[in-house]
Amino acid sequence: MSVSIDIAGLRQTGVPSARAESRAWERVVAVPSPLAELGMALHALSEPGHHPGLQGWVTGVTARLDPHLADRMCEADFLWRTTFSDLFLPCAGLPGGALPGGTLAEELDLLDKLSDEQFVDAALEFTCALPYGTPVPGPLADEGLRRRSLELAAARGPQQVRFTERLLADPPRTRAWLRQFLQDCDEAFFAETWARLRHQLAADTRHKTDLLRRKGLAEALAAVSPAVTLDETAARITVDKLGDGRTATGDGGLLLVPTSLGWPHLMVLHRYGWQPVLHYPVGSPELTAPPTVEQLALRMTALSHPVRMRLCRHLARSAYTTGELAQVHGMTAPEISRHLSVLKKAGLITTRRRGRYVLHQLDVTVVARLGSDFLEGILR
């Protein structure tokens, strides 16, 4: 499972040269976004369990938050609670490859430039599970999809129904409400937070830009996340995520937008007709590359078998030979070898030779990380 970005449109035609090669990725841009960071701030406030490293910040903001603003924050929290809506990256929906604004006010102006159809479709993405990667009429144009949106909103609760009804009945009014709410959040807590974070984000985008210029796209993407890889031959970027999706840069470009509040989320905007965006965390507490989704599935499958669980009980305490394990568990050596092979393929055990014996032992460090790896994998 993964999200792929076809970047064939970024390649230049004609005879390659050193100068042309340096311009080959000129539409890949690393740039901070204050509106995207505000969206992530709202997400962290709504789902602090996703972000244990932000506990102090969340506690401080929540303690001084005006009760009226806190109530308004709940009115449309599905725009940022699940992850956060594409509305927080409105530049991606504008034609011509627009970039995020340098200030929140500039980005809110970009949000105002989205059509009502774009605004409604993006706003209802999480509540109503509207089609994301295919070109279909939205609920403003399709009466059947409109009814379905209200039915799905009802399953989420009365608050979502009220918001969806207002949104479908009067998009401009809802847009004005959201803009005012975001401005009030900026005044209440985000301006102070952004003043502290923007220097780190600017430094990161300078670093990514330097990598793009000096070492190429593959190196820059590797610095974004070990979960992002480039196949230059196929002109495709692959993001290892627990989900499927595909998009293409086409005649546009690719945005790399950092967040200081986002770990462990690595998000890909791949909405049909919008410019692709990689929204990635900086300052991650992880020192080692996380396992891929495939590796994670292998490890959990390997541990789901009762015999292998019993083997792990012994292998966690000491190193054993295949013959010793066979004797302890009342099984044949070939049967034990098959189970050990599954555990080894999953990266859960280590082996070493001592004379003519091969000893197997559980890699307790990998097993200890399994819970956090699983959480990171499903939240990535």
Side-chain angles (χ1 to χ4, degrees):
M1 289 179 283
S2 61
V3 178
S4 66
I5 305 172
D6 183 343
I7 60 170
L10 297 182
R11 293 191 177 279
Q12 292 187 343
T13 57
V15 179
S17 67
R19 183 174 176 81
E21 192 65 24
S22 70
R23 296 199 311 268
W25 310 114
E26 62 184 2
R27 284 180 285 144
V28 179
V29 181
V31 57
S33 165
L35 181 56
E37 197 70 346
L38 174 53
M40 190 52 69
L42 290 167
H43 168 68
L45 290 170
S46 298
E47 285 288 356
H50 288 193
H51 307 274
L54 299 178
Q55 184 176 358
W57 177 81
V58 169
T59 301
V61 171
T62 304
R64 65 176 188 270
L65 201 61
D66 176 76
H68 178 60
L69 182 60
D71 289 342
R72 290 163 62 201
M73 194 177 292
C74 294
E75 283 189 51
D77 66 351
F78 46 85
L79 292 179
W80 48 79
R81 180 180 287 276
T82 303
T83 54
F84 74 97
S85 170
D86 292 344
L87 291 176
F88 291 98
L89 285 163
C91 61
L94 300 177
L99 297 177
T103 66
L104 182 63
E106 291 173 0
E107 293 227 82
L108 292 177
D109 290 340
L110 294 178
L111 181 61
D112 288 342
K113 292 181 180 180
L114 293 179
S115 67
D116 282 348
E117 289 76 13
Q118 287 177 304
F119 184 89
V120 170
D121 289 355
L124 294 181
E125 174 192 346
F126 300 120
T127 302
C128 301
L130 296 179
Y132 188 84
T134 55
V136 295
L140 291 183
D142 187 314
E143 184 59 35
L145 195 54
R146 185 187 188 93
R147 287 195 300 272
R148 180 171 177 269
S149 298
L150 289 169
E151 290 171 359
L152 292 173
R156 295 292 187 99
Q159 185 170 277
Q160 284 82 346
V161 172
R162 288 192 296 269
F163 182 86
T164 303
E165 288 174 341
R166 290 203 314 268
L167 179 62
L168 293 173
D170 193 351
R173 180 183 175 189
T174 306
R175 297 173 68 145
W177 177 91
L178 180 62
R179 177 171 183 136
Q180 185 60 57
F181 168 75
L182 296 175
Q183 289 173 330
D184 291 345
C185 287
D186 184 49
E187 182 179 346
F189 65 88
F190 182 68
E192 178 185 342
T193 300
W194 178 249
R196 176 172 53 86
L197 297 179
R198 63 187 179 90
H199 303 292
Q200 180 191 26
L201 298 179
D204 181 83
T205 55
R206 286 194 299 269
H207 174 59
K208 299 298 188 295
T209 301
D210 186 61
L211 286 175
L212 283 166
R213 185 177 65 251
R214 297 168 66 90
K215 296 189 176 182
L217 182 59
E219 291 283 343
L221 293 176
V224 164
S225 169
V228 183
T229 55
L230 170 67
D231 183 338
E232 293 202 45
T233 303
R236 181 182 300 111
I237 295 170
T238 300
V239 186
D240 186 58
K241 288 177 67 69
L242 195 63
D244 294 304
R246 61 183 56 203
T247 186
T249 55
D251 295 330
L254 171 67
L255 294 181
L256 308 179
V257 178
T259 168
S260 291
L261 303 174
W263 187 86
H265 304 305
L266 169 64
M267 287 171 283
V268 188
L269 191 161
H270 58 283
R271 179 179 295 277
Y272 181 84
W274 289 43
Q275 181 176 203
V277 181
L278 282 174
H279 189 235
Y280 63 94
V282 299
S284 166
E286 291 298 325
L287 299 178
T288 57
T292 65
V293 170
E294 182 182 4
Q295 289 172 324
L296 186 60
L298 275 175
R299 289 173 183 176
M300 301 192 72
T301 300
L303 293 173
S304 67
H305 196 287
V307 171
R308 291 194 285 271
M309 289 181 68
R310 290 197 297 271
L311 287 174
C312 287
R313 182 173 183 271
H314 285 83
L315 296 172
R317 289 165 167 79
S318 183
Y320 287 86
T321 67
T322 301
E324 288 173 328
L325 291 170
Q327 185 175 9
V328 169
H329 291 274
M331 300 171 66
T332 66
E335 289 175 320
I336 292 294
S337 292
R338 284 194 292 272
H339 285 297
L340 290 176
S341 178
V342 173
L343 292 169
K344 186 174 183 179
K345 185 178 179 181
L348 295 170
I349 63 173
T350 60
T351 60
R352 70 179 188 273
R353 182 172 290 277
R354 189 177 65 193
R356 62 190 182 90
Y357 297 103
V358 176
L359 298 173
H360 310 279
Q361 190 163 17
L362 191 70
D363 190 332
V364 293
T365 302
V366 171
V367 176
R369 281 178 48 89
L370 195 57
S372 60
D373 285 342
F374 173 71
L375 186 60
E376 181 179 350
I378 61 175
L379 292 179
R380 188 191 303 157

